[in-house]
Amino acid sequence: MSASHDESEQDKTRKRVWILTRHYPPDVGALSYRLKHLAETLAEDYEVTVLTAQPNRYEGATKAPAIERQENLTIRRISSVQLLQSRGKVGRLLTELLGALWMSLVALRHRGKMDIVFASTPPFFYGLPGLVVKRFGRRPLVLDLRDLWLDWAEETGLLRNPLLAGSMRFLERSIIRSADHLTLATEGFRDLLLERHGTDPACATVVFNGLDKVLIPEHVEPAAPRDEGAPLQVLYAGNLGPSQSLVGILGGMLASLEKWPALRITIIGDGAQRDELSGASHPRFKVLPHTSREELARMCRETDAFLLHLAALDVYRHTVPSKLFEYAAYERPILCGVSGEARKICERHAACFTFDSDDAASFASAMDRLCGGEPADNARMERADQTEILRASRAPIWRKVFASLS
């Protein structure tokens, strides 16, 4: 029997996995890159189809091919329309809802081609296509939850109407309880959902955001001691929205940047606060657009320290930003403005100069300690070996989850 015949027979026995997601490359961001890694990992053992929207996360996104085919992997992109010209909260919310409903209809039409469905959030409403295929197509559903959006919406006051909040909580419960397996971003998420929804612990797996394989350093040289007066480069790379809240901590500090003559700050990314950050004028402060992952890896190797920050919200005590693992892999100090689970991971894996979220004075104090060459705040704490961060690979965990459904 020929090898080509064997391969053909193997293809016929492959389970068919559909990944339903709002964002996928060439859309930029940690979510897109993470799902690309998932699709390529699963394509080693399954016939994979990604159903996604046209690139839309940031203004200026260009249209991608409606269908792309690779070995054991097909990417289908459906049109997404910005409902309102304003990119404000209401416009985005309505756009996400209509986009999720449209994807639900498209997915339902293809349900006969699916053996397992994987639905990823955020955005919140994109759990809905998974629920629809589960209910009407009766296919096993893996639900991927990377944030607690409803908790955030209620805590920030975005969701004030009790009737609307109750309706969305009902939808959330329906989506979560319909899943055959949950993959969750943090231990904190897992504990909360087990308590709220009575989920079987065996059906809830923590898959940390982990490392993008492009950004895994082949070899990292420990930071060399700095000569007095030598430039000190601090890098932030990621979203520039209210969740990251960089305007609050950087705004006042830039006015007194002369206090740290060696300091250079580079911000890379896009989001709602980008224009305000770009408006800050100082020769030692730069705001750059998203760059390629390869170029970002080069900049990570060359920086002296990283900035990590989330807004001072209780929901973020259970959040671990994707960039934390990437920063820690480069063995550079981290200006650490996060709390809860993220701070514990940061202190275990990196030299941390900690400060309180949304506290400009606390941030300035941490910068004083960094620029002054003081020991890291966790210098006396036991630290994990860097190989533990480099082993934060998602692929083996995903394979185990999907094997349990196959």
Side-chain angles (χ1 to χ4, degrees):
M1 188 177 292
S2 67
S4 60
H5 179 77
D6 289 343
E7 291 173 2
S8 177
E9 288 300 312
Q10 183 182 16
D11 288 344
K12 290 179 181 178
T13 61
R14 284 175 177 261
K15 293 279 189 180
R16 299 164 299 177
V17 174
W18 279 58
I19 298 172
L20 313 180
T21 174
R22 172 79 146 96
H23 301 296
Y24 193 83
D27 243 351
V28 295
L31 175 62
S32 297
Y33 303 131
R34 187 165 52 247
L35 292 177
K36 181 175 186 288
H37 184 202
L38 169 65
E40 292 173 347
T41 297
L42 294 180
E44 297 173 10
D45 302 297
Y46 301 88
E47 191 66 35
V48 179
T49 300
V50 177
L51 183 62
T52 187
Q54 281 288 342
N56 53 66
R57 188 169 188 183
Y58 297 114
E59 292 186 56
T62 56
K63 190 173 182 179
I67 298 180
E68 286 186 62
R69 288 189 171 90
Q70 304 168 24
E71 187 175 1
N72 302 322
L73 174 59
T74 301
I75 300 140
R76 295 178 176 270
R77 296 185 177 90
I78 58 179
S79 296
S80 59
V81 179
Q82 183 69 28
L83 184 66
L84 302 177
Q85 290 302 311
S86 167
R87 296 179 68 88
K89 294 176 181 178
V90 174
R92 287 200 304 269
L93 195 64
L94 292 175
T95 298
E96 301 296 3
L97 175 58
L98 291 182
L101 290 172
W102 175 234
M103 183 174 286
S104 299
L105 293 175
V106 174
L108 194 58
R109 185 163 64 88
H110 290 284
R111 64 188 182 278
K113 303 174 184 177
M114 307 175 184
D115 294 312
I116 302 173
V117 178
F118 178 94
S120 183
T121 70
F124 166 77
F125 289 118
Y126 278 78
L128 186 58
L131 172 64
V132 168
V133 174
K134 170 68 178 180
R135 289 284 174 86
F136 297 100
R138 301 192 180 281
R139 299 297 188 267
L141 171 63
V142 180
L143 181 64
D144 185 45
L145 297 174
R146 312 316 294 178
D147 67 11
L148 297 170
W149 185 84
L150 275 184
D151 292 60
W152 173 85
E154 290 177 346
E155 188 174 352
T156 58
L158 175 64
L159 201 58
R160 293 190 178 94
N161 184 293
L163 181 59
L164 179 59
S167 299
M168 294 186 73
R169 281 294 181 191
F170 175 77
L171 176 60
E172 179 190 55
R173 286 194 301 273
S174 299
I175 293 172
I176 290 173
R177 293 177 180 180
S178 72
D180 295 275
H181 204 104
L182 300 173
T183 55
L184 307 161
T186 70
E187 296 288 353
F189 284 12
R190 185 176 186 272
D191 292 343
L192 276 176
L193 293 178
L194 292 181
E195 179 182 342
R196 287 179 181 176
H197 302 289
T199 304
D200 180 355
C203 296
T205 300
V206 174
V207 184
F208 281 116
N209 288 330
L211 284 167
D212 183 332
K213 60 183 179 181
V214 176
L215 291 179
I216 296 176
E218 294 182 6
H219 178 68
V220 174
E221 291 289 344
R226 289 177 53 253
D227 295 331
E228 186 174 352
L232 189 150
Q233 178 66 56
V234 173
L235 176 66
Y236 173 90
N239 290 337
L240 305 178
S243 294
Q244 292 74 36
S245 192
L246 295 185
V247 167
I249 61 168
L250 288 173
M253 194 197 79
L254 293 177
S256 57
L257 202 56
E258 299 308 322
K259 180 180 179 182
W260 304 285
L263 182 61
R264 312 284 190 273
I265 300 176
T266 299
I267 307 294
I268 300 175
D270 201 349
Q273 293 189 353
R274 175 179 168 77
D275 290 345
E276 191 169 354
L277 288 166
S278 299
S281 177
H282 198 286
R284 290 189 279 118
F285 178 76
K286 295 187 295 184
V287 180
L288 305 176
H290 279 292
T291 185
S292 70
R293 303 300 270 172
E294 291 75 15
E295 175 63 12
L296 180 57
R298 181 192 67 78
M299 297 180 76
C300 287
R301 289 193 299 270
E302 295 179 358
T303 198
D304 298 301
F306 294 102
L307 171 60
L308 182 71
H309 183 250
L310 287 174
L313 297 173
D314 186 63
V315 66
Y316 290 142
R317 296 185 60 81
H318 307 291
T319 298
V320 179
S322 303
K323 61 185 71 67
L324 189 161
F325 294 93
E326 295 163 359
Y327 288 176
Y330 285 87
E331 295 192 2
R332 298 292 188 265
I334 297 177
L335 288 157
C336 177
V338 293
S339 60
E341 189 169 350
R343 177 170 288 194
K344 290 178 182 177
I345 293 175
C346 196
E347 290 176 338
R348 178 169 170 76
H349 294 286
C352 291
F353 291 83
T354 58
F355 61 96
D356 296 332
S357 298
D358 285 337
D359 188 328
S362 179
F363 176 56
S365 175
M367 189 66 79
D368 276 337
R369 301 194 301 276
L370 173 66
C371 293
E374 296 184 22
D377 298 341
N378 61 334
R380 295 186 179 183
M381 294 174 60
E382 183 178 354
R383 296 255 302 279
D385 187 86
Q386 190 213 24
T387 55
E388 185 173 316
I389 275 288
L390 297 181
R391 286 197 303 268
S393 173
R394 303 173 291 251
I397 306 174
W398 279 329
R399 289 192 183 101
K400 185 175 180 181
V401 168
F402 280 85
S404 71
L405 297 175
S406 298

